[in-house]
Amino acid sequence: TAMLVGRLLGLPRAFVQLLALGTAVCGCTAVAAAAPVLRARAADTGVALTCVVLLGSTGMLLYPWLADAFFRGNDAAAGMFLGTAIHDTSQVMGAAMIYAQQFGVPDAVPVAGFTKLLRNLSMLVLIPLAALSMRGSANGAAGAAEIPLRQALPGFLIAFVLLAMLRTGGDAAFGGTSGAEA
């Protein structure tokens, strides 16, 4: 849908992909990770970051009340809503904390955080796919085809996955508990 609307508006493909990744996946992190892969112009990257921050900040301030209106009494559903509807991880956690404090629902905070971190993992697939989509595209940035796919995978995301696996393995091996249970 984003690509169709972008094409109708005559927007550069890389810019539209930055906006789509930023709003669908992980806010500023997705935009910053995808911009070099898509060879996006600095101005397009800046505008995409600004849009993501403005939309996410608005959601952070408004969505806790929507979560209460739609999911009152269902902490998990409210947390999942906040974790999927808001762009940036910090904004998700801010909205979850507002929700918890305003409506006395602290259990929604870890659900929102977990849901958002699962969304972040989709960058493992989406950023390399975005790099593939730019190969040979007429309206893509010049040189996009030169990026090897192994370089299209954000290193911080690989480190995140490896550290999460290490922590989970350590907890299983040594009978530890996660920080939420401690």
Side-chain angles (χ1 to χ4, degrees), residues 5 14 24 30-31 39 50 54-55 94 100 116 124 132 163 165:
V5 171
V31 172
R39 305 279 177 143
T50 301
L54 289 174
L55 290 170
K116 180 63 181 116
L124 286 168
L132 268 177
L163 290 171
M165 289 175 18

Side-chain angles (χ1 to χ4, degrees), residues 16-133:
V16 174
Q17 285 183 311
L18 287 177
L19 285 175
L21 284 167
T23 56
V25 179
C26 185
C28 294
T29 304
V31 172
V37 170
L38 299 173
R39 305 279 177 143
R41 296 179 318 145
D44 290 343
T45 304
V47 171
L49 287 168
T50 301
C51 289
V52 166
V53 168
L54 289 174
L55 290 170
S57 296
T58 302
M60 180 180 72
L61 298 174
L62 297 178
Y63 287 6
W65 282 266
L66 286 176
D68 182 60
F70 289 116
F71 306 108
R72 183 173 294 151
N74 189 340
D75 305 352
M80 283 188 268
F81 167 73
L82 295 172
T84 56
I86 300 173
H87 310 323
D88 228 45
T89 304
S90 58
Q91 295 162 339
V92 167
M93 297 314 295
M97 291 300 296
I98 290 170
Y99 181 75
Q101 291 174 1
Q102 289 296 314
F103 303 106
V105 188
D107 292 341
V109 175
V111 173
F114 180 75
T115 302
K116 180 63 181 116
L117 291 176
L118 284 178
R119 272 180 63 203
N120 292 354
L121 289 176
S122 66
M123 283 190 288
L124 286 168
V125 173
L126 293 176
I127 291 176
L129 284 177
L132 268 177
S133 76

Side-chain angles (χ1 to χ4, degrees), residues 129-144:
L129 284 177
L132 268 177
S133 76
M134 293 301 286
R135 290 176 177 250
S137 92
N139 62 345

